[in-house]
Amino acid sequence: MKRASKVLSLTLAAALAVSMAACGGSSSATDKNKTEAGASAGNAQAAGDSDSTAGTTYHIGVLQQLEHPALDSATEGFKDALTELLGTDNVVFDVQNAQGEQANCATIANNFVANGYDLILANATTALQSAAAATSSIPILGTSVTDYATALDIDDWSGATGTNISGTSDLAPLDQQEDMLIELFPDAKTVGILYCSAEPNSIYQATQFAAALEADGLAYKEYTVADSNDIASVVQNAIAEVDVIYIPTDNTMAGNTETIHNIALPAGVPIIAGEAGICSGCGVATLSISYYDIGYRAGEMAYDVLVNGADITTMEIQYADSVTKQYNAEICTKLGITIPDDYEAIATE
Protein backbone atom coordinates (compact mmCIF):
# COMPACT_ATOMS: atom_id res chain seq x y z
CA MET A 1 0.00 0.00 0.00
CA LYS A 2 1.27 3.50 -0.78
CA ARG A 3 1.76 6.04 2.01
CA ALA A 4 1.60 9.14 -0.19
CA SER A 5 -0.25 10.29 -3.28
CA LYS A 6 1.36 11.20 -6.52
CA VAL A 7 -1.70 12.51 -8.37
CA LEU A 8 -4.48 14.38 -6.52
CA SER A 9 -6.53 17.41 -7.27
CA LEU A 10 -4.88 20.71 -6.35
CA THR A 11 -7.32 21.29 -3.53
CA LEU A 12 -6.88 17.87 -1.96
CA ALA A 13 -3.11 18.03 -2.42
CA ALA A 14 -2.93 21.31 -0.53
CA ALA A 15 -5.11 20.00 2.26
CA LEU A 16 -3.08 16.84 2.56
CA ALA A 17 0.17 18.78 2.61
CA VAL A 18 -1.07 20.93 5.48
CA SER A 19 -2.26 17.85 7.35
CA MET A 20 1.04 16.06 6.92
CA ALA A 21 3.05 19.11 8.00
CA ALA A 22 0.96 19.45 11.14
CA CYS A 23 1.12 15.78 12.07
CA GLY A 24 4.73 15.10 11.10
CA GLY A 25 3.69 11.91 9.28
CA SER A 26 3.28 9.97 12.52
CA SER A 27 -0.38 10.17 13.47
CA SER A 28 -2.93 7.52 12.61
CA ALA A 29 -4.88 10.10 10.61
CA THR A 30 -1.86 10.78 8.45
CA ASP A 31 -1.24 7.06 7.96
CA LYS A 32 -4.85 6.69 6.85
CA ASN A 33 -4.51 9.52 4.36
CA LYS A 34 -1.32 8.01 2.97
CA THR A 35 -2.90 4.58 2.67
CA GLU A 36 -5.95 5.90 0.85
CA ALA A 37 -3.67 7.89 -1.42
CA GLY A 38 -1.93 4.71 -2.56
CA ALA A 39 -4.64 3.87 -5.08
CA SER A 40 -4.22 7.24 -6.77
CA ALA A 41 -0.44 6.74 -6.79
CA GLY A 42 -0.85 3.47 -8.63
CA ASN A 43 -3.19 5.09 -11.15
CA ALA A 44 -0.70 7.88 -11.72
CA GLN A 45 2.05 5.38 -12.46
CA ALA A 46 -0.18 3.52 -14.88
CA ALA A 47 -0.86 6.80 -16.65
CA GLY A 48 2.89 7.27 -17.18
CA ASP A 49 3.87 9.65 -14.40
CA SER A 50 7.47 10.55 -15.28
CA ASP A 51 8.42 11.62 -11.74
CA SER A 52 6.78 8.78 -9.83
CA THR A 53 8.68 9.15 -6.55
CA ALA A 54 8.53 12.93 -6.22
CA GLY A 55 7.13 13.83 -2.83
CA THR A 56 6.68 10.21 -1.85
CA THR A 57 8.38 8.66 1.16
CA TYR A 58 8.26 4.87 1.37
CA HIS A 59 8.59 3.20 4.76
CA ILE A 60 10.23 -0.21 4.61
CA GLY A 61 10.52 -2.69 7.47
CA VAL A 62 13.59 -4.92 7.31
CA LEU A 63 13.35 -8.04 9.46
CA GLN A 64 16.72 -9.81 9.65
CA GLN A 65 16.70 -13.15 11.41
CA LEU A 66 20.11 -12.85 13.04
CA GLU A 67 23.47 -11.14 12.76
CA HIS A 68 25.66 -12.94 10.25
CA PRO A 69 27.95 -11.69 7.47
CA ALA A 70 25.85 -13.25 4.70
CA LEU A 71 22.56 -11.85 5.98
CA ASP A 72 24.18 -8.49 6.72
CA SER A 73 25.35 -8.33 3.09
CA ALA A 74 21.87 -9.12 1.79
CA THR A 75 20.35 -6.34 3.89
CA GLU A 76 23.03 -3.92 2.68
CA GLY A 77 22.38 -4.83 -0.95
CA PHE A 78 18.63 -4.35 -0.53
CA LYS A 79 19.03 -0.93 1.07
CA ASP A 80 21.57 0.19 -1.52
CA ALA A 81 19.29 -0.77 -4.41
CA LEU A 82 16.25 1.07 -3.06
CA THR A 83 18.27 4.10 -2.02
CA GLU A 84 19.77 4.36 -5.49
CA LEU A 85 16.44 3.85 -7.24
CA LEU A 86 14.22 5.97 -5.01
CA GLY A 87 16.66 8.55 -3.68
CA THR A 88 17.82 8.96 -0.12
CA ASP A 89 14.99 11.36 0.78
CA ASN A 90 12.27 9.03 -0.51
CA VAL A 91 12.84 5.92 1.57
CA VAL A 92 13.02 5.23 5.29
CA PHE A 93 14.25 1.86 6.56
CA ASP A 94 13.38 0.36 9.92
CA VAL A 95 15.99 -2.41 10.27
CA GLN A 96 15.32 -4.86 13.09
CA ASN A 97 17.39 -7.90 14.07
CA ALA A 98 15.62 -10.82 15.75
CA GLN A 99 18.85 -12.27 17.21
CA GLY A 100 17.90 -15.73 15.96
CA GLU A 101 14.74 -15.95 18.08
CA GLN A 102 11.47 -16.96 16.43
CA ALA A 103 9.43 -15.05 19.00
CA ASN A 104 11.37 -11.90 18.19
CA CYS A 105 10.70 -12.41 14.48
CA ALA A 106 6.96 -12.60 15.13
CA THR A 107 6.97 -9.49 17.34
CA ILE A 108 8.96 -7.43 14.84
CA ALA A 109 6.77 -8.51 11.91
CA ASN A 110 3.60 -7.64 13.80
CA ASN A 111 5.02 -4.23 14.68
CA PHE A 112 5.80 -3.56 11.03
CA VAL A 113 2.20 -4.37 10.15
CA ALA A 114 0.85 -2.20 12.97
CA ASN A 115 2.96 0.68 11.66
CA GLY A 116 1.42 0.29 8.21
CA TYR A 117 4.72 0.02 6.38
CA ASP A 118 4.67 -0.01 2.59
CA LEU A 119 6.74 -3.17 2.23
CA ILE A 120 8.60 -5.71 4.37
CA LEU A 121 11.92 -7.35 3.59
CA ALA A 122 12.23 -10.70 5.35
CA ASN A 123 15.87 -11.75 5.51
CA ALA A 124 16.09 -15.56 6.05
CA THR A 125 13.46 -18.25 6.38
CA THR A 126 12.06 -17.77 9.88
CA ALA A 127 11.80 -14.04 9.20
CA LEU A 128 9.83 -14.82 6.03
CA GLN A 129 7.49 -17.20 7.81
CA SER A 130 6.83 -14.67 10.57
CA ALA A 131 6.13 -11.88 8.09
CA ALA A 132 3.79 -14.16 6.13
CA ALA A 133 1.87 -14.96 9.31
CA ALA A 134 1.61 -11.27 10.18
CA THR A 135 0.08 -9.94 6.94
CA SER A 136 -1.54 -11.08 3.72
CA SER A 137 -1.81 -7.58 2.24
CA ILE A 138 1.49 -5.71 2.74
CA PRO A 139 4.00 -6.79 0.06
CA ILE A 140 6.73 -9.05 1.45
CA LEU A 141 10.01 -9.72 -0.29
CA GLY A 142 12.26 -12.44 1.05
CA THR A 143 15.98 -12.85 0.63
CA SER A 144 18.51 -15.41 1.91
CA VAL A 145 15.71 -17.98 1.67
CA THR A 146 16.67 -21.29 0.11
CA ASP A 147 13.35 -22.76 -1.04
CA TYR A 148 10.13 -20.76 -0.87
CA ALA A 149 7.87 -23.74 -1.48
CA THR A 150 9.30 -25.45 1.58
CA ALA A 151 9.35 -22.31 3.71
CA LEU A 152 5.73 -21.44 2.90
CA ASP A 153 4.40 -25.00 2.67
CA ILE A 154 3.35 -24.69 -0.98
CA ASP A 155 2.72 -28.05 -2.65
CA ASP A 156 1.97 -27.05 -6.22
CA TRP A 157 5.03 -24.89 -6.89
CA SER A 158 5.02 -22.84 -10.10
CA GLY A 159 7.90 -20.43 -9.47
CA ALA A 160 5.73 -17.73 -7.89
CA THR A 161 3.88 -17.92 -4.56
CA GLY A 162 0.54 -16.58 -5.75
CA THR A 163 0.39 -14.47 -2.58
CA ASN A 164 1.77 -11.15 -1.34
CA ILE A 165 5.24 -12.72 -1.21
CA SER A 166 8.15 -12.96 -3.64
CA GLY A 167 11.90 -12.52 -3.34
CA THR A 168 15.33 -13.97 -3.97
CA SER A 169 16.87 -17.33 -3.09
CA ASP A 170 20.32 -18.12 -1.73
CA LEU A 171 20.30 -21.65 -3.13
CA ALA A 172 23.52 -22.64 -4.85
CA PRO A 173 23.22 -25.74 -7.07
CA LEU A 174 23.26 -28.66 -4.66
CA ASP A 175 24.46 -31.15 -7.25
CA GLN A 176 27.47 -28.93 -7.91
CA GLN A 177 28.19 -28.75 -4.19
CA GLU A 178 28.20 -32.54 -4.10
CA ASP A 179 30.52 -32.56 -7.13
CA MET A 180 32.85 -30.26 -5.20
CA LEU A 181 32.97 -32.66 -2.27
CA ILE A 182 33.88 -35.55 -4.57
CA GLU A 183 36.47 -33.45 -6.39
CA LEU A 184 38.28 -32.49 -3.19
CA PHE A 185 37.80 -35.77 -1.30
CA PRO A 186 37.60 -38.60 -3.85
CA ASP A 187 38.56 -41.19 -1.25
CA ALA A 188 35.79 -40.30 1.20
CA LYS A 189 33.70 -43.32 2.13
CA THR A 190 31.07 -41.77 4.39
CA VAL A 191 29.75 -38.21 4.37
CA GLY A 192 28.09 -36.57 7.34
CA ILE A 193 25.26 -34.10 6.66
CA LEU A 194 24.98 -31.68 9.58
CA TYR A 195 22.02 -29.33 9.96
CA CYS A 196 19.29 -27.97 12.22
CA SER A 197 16.07 -29.97 12.00
CA ALA A 198 14.05 -26.90 13.01
CA GLU A 199 14.94 -25.10 9.75
CA PRO A 200 12.75 -26.28 6.83
CA ASN A 201 15.16 -25.08 4.17
CA SER A 202 18.01 -27.01 5.78
CA ILE A 203 15.89 -30.14 5.60
CA TYR A 204 15.27 -29.48 1.92
CA GLN A 205 18.97 -29.05 1.17
CA ALA A 206 19.95 -32.11 3.19
CA THR A 207 17.41 -34.22 1.29
CA GLN A 208 18.63 -33.02 -2.09
CA PHE A 209 22.29 -33.43 -1.16
CA ALA A 210 21.66 -36.95 0.14
CA ALA A 211 19.99 -37.85 -3.15
CA ALA A 212 23.06 -36.65 -5.05
CA LEU A 213 25.33 -38.74 -2.82
CA GLU A 214 23.16 -41.80 -3.35
CA ALA A 215 23.29 -41.31 -7.12
CA ASP A 216 27.09 -41.43 -6.90
CA GLY A 217 27.09 -44.45 -4.60
CA LEU A 218 28.43 -42.62 -1.56
CA ALA A 219 27.32 -43.56 1.94
CA TYR A 220 26.10 -40.79 4.25
CA LYS A 221 24.75 -40.19 7.73
CA GLU A 222 22.56 -37.31 8.84
CA TYR A 223 23.34 -35.45 12.06
CA THR A 224 20.66 -33.04 13.23
CA VAL A 225 20.34 -30.60 16.08
CA ALA A 226 17.18 -29.04 17.51
CA ASP A 227 19.03 -25.86 18.49
CA SER A 228 22.51 -24.58 19.22
CA ASN A 229 22.68 -26.41 22.56
CA ASP A 230 23.02 -29.74 20.73
CA ILE A 231 25.79 -28.79 18.35
CA ALA A 232 28.88 -29.77 20.35
CA SER A 233 27.66 -33.27 21.20
CA VAL A 234 26.30 -33.94 17.70
CA VAL A 235 29.53 -32.81 16.01
CA GLN A 236 31.52 -35.01 18.40
CA ASN A 237 29.46 -37.99 17.22
CA ALA A 238 29.88 -37.05 13.57
CA ILE A 239 33.67 -36.74 13.55
CA ALA A 240 33.97 -40.25 14.95
CA GLU A 241 31.93 -41.76 12.12
CA VAL A 242 32.52 -39.85 8.86
CA ASP A 243 35.34 -38.77 6.57
CA VAL A 244 33.95 -35.36 5.58
CA ILE A 245 31.02 -33.22 6.72
CA TYR A 246 28.61 -31.19 4.61
CA ILE A 247 26.74 -28.22 6.16
CA PRO A 248 24.03 -26.54 4.05
CA THR A 249 23.03 -22.90 4.35
CA ASP A 250 21.75 -23.18 7.90
CA ASN A 251 21.28 -20.23 10.25
CA THR A 252 21.84 -22.23 13.42
CA MET A 253 25.13 -23.60 12.12
CA ALA A 254 26.12 -20.19 10.78
CA GLY A 255 25.85 -18.75 14.26
CA ASN A 256 27.99 -21.50 15.80
CA THR A 257 30.89 -22.04 13.41
CA GLU A 258 33.48 -21.54 16.15
CA THR A 259 32.07 -24.45 18.15
CA ILE A 260 32.07 -26.67 15.07
CA HIS A 261 35.55 -25.60 14.04
CA ASN A 262 37.04 -26.29 17.49
CA ILE A 263 35.82 -29.89 17.31
CA ALA A 264 36.25 -30.79 13.64
CA LEU A 265 39.68 -29.27 12.99
CA PRO A 266 41.62 -31.15 15.73
CA ALA A 267 39.96 -34.35 14.50
CA GLY A 268 41.13 -33.66 10.95
CA VAL A 269 37.61 -33.85 9.51
CA PRO A 270 37.09 -31.35 6.66
CA ILE A 271 33.81 -29.51 6.08
CA ILE A 272 32.15 -28.50 2.83
CA ALA A 273 29.85 -25.54 3.46
CA GLY A 274 26.75 -24.32 1.70
CA GLU A 275 27.82 -20.67 1.82
CA ALA A 276 30.89 -18.52 2.35
CA GLY A 277 30.05 -17.33 5.88
CA ILE A 278 29.99 -20.86 7.25
CA CYS A 279 33.05 -21.77 5.20
CA SER A 280 35.04 -18.84 6.57
CA GLY A 281 34.27 -20.02 10.10
CA CYS A 282 34.77 -23.78 9.87
CA GLY A 283 34.84 -25.04 6.28
CA VAL A 284 37.45 -25.84 3.68
CA ALA A 285 35.44 -25.00 0.56
CA THR A 286 32.08 -23.76 -0.67
CA LEU A 287 30.18 -23.04 -3.84
CA SER A 288 29.41 -19.43 -3.09
CA ILE A 289 26.86 -16.88 -4.22
CA SER A 290 26.89 -13.15 -3.50
CA TYR A 291 24.42 -12.33 -0.73
CA TYR A 292 24.85 -8.66 -1.52
CA ASP A 293 23.70 -9.34 -5.07
CA ILE A 294 20.56 -11.26 -4.08
CA GLY A 295 19.74 -8.53 -1.59
CA TYR A 296 20.25 -5.91 -4.29
CA ARG A 297 17.99 -7.85 -6.65
CA ALA A 298 15.31 -7.96 -3.94
CA GLY A 299 15.62 -4.17 -3.73
CA GLU A 300 15.04 -3.88 -7.47
CA MET A 301 11.96 -6.09 -7.10
CA ALA A 302 10.73 -3.84 -4.29
CA TYR A 303 11.03 -0.83 -6.59
CA ASP A 304 8.98 -2.63 -9.24
CA VAL A 305 6.25 -3.30 -6.69
CA LEU A 306 6.22 0.11 -5.04
CA VAL A 307 6.71 2.38 -8.04
CA ASN A 308 5.96 0.39 -11.18
CA GLY A 309 2.91 -1.37 -9.78
CA ALA A 310 4.24 -4.88 -10.44
CA ASP A 311 1.96 -7.69 -9.28
CA ILE A 312 3.89 -9.43 -6.52
CA THR A 313 1.60 -12.47 -6.65
CA THR A 314 3.00 -13.38 -10.06
CA MET A 315 6.63 -12.32 -9.53
CA GLU A 316 8.81 -15.41 -9.80
CA ILE A 317 11.51 -16.10 -7.23
CA GLN A 318 14.90 -14.90 -8.44
CA TYR A 319 18.21 -16.75 -8.06
CA ALA A 320 21.88 -15.75 -8.07
CA ASP A 321 23.27 -15.18 -11.54
CA SER A 322 26.52 -17.02 -10.86
CA VAL A 323 28.37 -19.15 -8.33
CA THR A 324 32.03 -19.17 -7.35
CA LYS A 325 34.24 -21.93 -5.99
CA GLN A 326 35.88 -20.62 -2.83
CA TYR A 327 38.15 -22.04 -0.16
CA ASN A 328 39.36 -21.24 3.34
CA ALA A 329 43.13 -20.98 2.93
CA GLU A 330 43.93 -21.15 6.65
CA ILE A 331 41.96 -24.32 7.35
CA CYS A 332 43.13 -25.98 4.14
CA THR A 333 46.73 -25.33 5.13
CA LYS A 334 46.21 -26.78 8.60
CA LEU A 335 44.58 -29.89 7.16
CA GLY A 336 47.14 -30.25 4.36
CA ILE A 337 44.52 -29.95 1.62
CA THR A 338 45.61 -28.86 -1.85
CA ILE A 339 42.98 -26.80 -3.64
CA PRO A 340 42.66 -26.70 -7.47
CA ASP A 341 43.59 -23.51 -9.27
CA ASP A 342 40.01 -22.59 -10.22
CA TYR A 343 39.06 -21.89 -6.57
CA GLU A 344 39.24 -18.41 -5.05
CA ALA A 345 40.44 -17.82 -1.50
CA ILE A 346 37.83 -16.35 0.82
CA ALA A 347 38.92 -12.88 1.85
CA THR A 348 39.91 -12.59 5.50
CA GLU A 349 39.99 -9.45 7.62
Side-chain angles (χ1 to χ4, degrees), residues 336-347:
I337 297 171
T338 301
I339 297 295
D341 292 338
D342 60 338
Y343 284 65
E344 296 181 3
I346 295 175

Side-chain angles (χ1 to χ4, degrees), residues 218-301:
L218 279 176
Y220 68 90
K221 293 184 178 182
E222 294 189 12
Y223 299 88
T224 64
V225 303
D227 54 41
S228 59
N229 295 323
D230 300 334
I231 290 178
S233 60
V234 171
V235 175
Q236 287 284 4
N237 292 337
I239 62 170
E241 299 173 340
V242 304
D243 303 303
V244 59
I245 292 174
Y246 169 72
I247 301 177
T249 54
D250 181 293
N251 292 305
T252 301
M253 298 302 163
N256 292 272
T257 56
E258 183 177 0
T259 298
I260 299 168
H261 174 73
N262 290 340
I263 298 171
L265 182 65
V269 177
I271 294 171
I272 296 293
E275 55 93 8
I278 295 176
C279 189
S280 64
C282 64
V284 298
T286 183
L287 193 64
S288 178
I289 66 166
S290 168
Y291 276 79
Y292 179 90
D293 287 351
I294 62 171
Y296 194 97
R297 180 68 187 109
E300 293 176 326
M301 296 170 75

Side-chain angles (χ1 to χ4, degrees), residues 2 6 41-50 52-53 58 85-86 297 299-312 315:
K2 296 289 190 295
K6 302 183 186 65
N43 292 336
Q45 179 62 35
D49 184 0
S50 61
S52 58
T53 62
Y58 296 97
L85 291 167
L86 293 172
R297 180 68 187 109
E300 293 176 326
M301 296 170 75
Y303 181 85
D304 282 342
V305 171
L306 294 170
V307 178
N308 297 332
D311 182 1
I312 196 170
M315 294 179 75

Side-chain angles (χ1 to χ4, degrees), residues 63-184:
L63 169 51
Q64 184 171 317
Q65 188 166 318
L66 75 162
E67 293 179 7
H68 183 267
L71 304 188
D72 295 345
S73 293
T75 292
E76 181 183 0
F78 176 81
K79 292 174 62 181
D80 284 352
L82 271 182
T83 301
E84 292 170 13
L85 291 167
L86 293 172
T88 303
D89 295 336
N90 296 325
V91 60
V92 176
F93 298 103
D94 182 358
V95 181
Q96 300 289 329
N97 194 299
Q99 303 300 329
E101 297 292 337
Q102 184 173 3
N104 292 344
C105 282
T107 298
I108 294 168
N110 287 327
N111 287 340
F112 287 168
V113 174
N115 289 335
Y117 287 164
D118 299 298
L119 182 140
I120 296 172
L121 175 76
N123 191 348
T125 302
T126 302
L128 179 73
Q129 293 169 328
S130 296
T135 179
S136 60
S137 57
I138 296 175
I140 299 168
L141 285 169
T143 192
S144 312
V145 176
T146 303
D147 183 65
Y148 283 75
T150 301
L152 300 173
D153 196 24
I154 300 174
D155 293 328
D156 187 16
W157 181 247
S158 63
T161 69
T163 69
N164 62 316
I165 299 170
S166 188
T168 57
S169 170
D170 63 357
L171 180 64
L174 293 165
D175 57 340
Q176 293 182 37
Q177 292 183 35
E178 191 257 357
D179 289 342
M180 172 181 285
L181 186 149
I182 293 176
E183 176 185 33
L184 296 179

Side-chain angles (χ1 to χ4, degrees), residues 178-198:
E178 191 257 357
D179 289 342
M180 172 181 285
L181 186 149
I182 293 176
E183 176 185 33
L184 296 179
F185 307 105
D187 297 327
K189 304 299 182 185
T190 305
V191 177
I193 304 176
L194 174 65
Y195 63 97
C196 178
S197 59

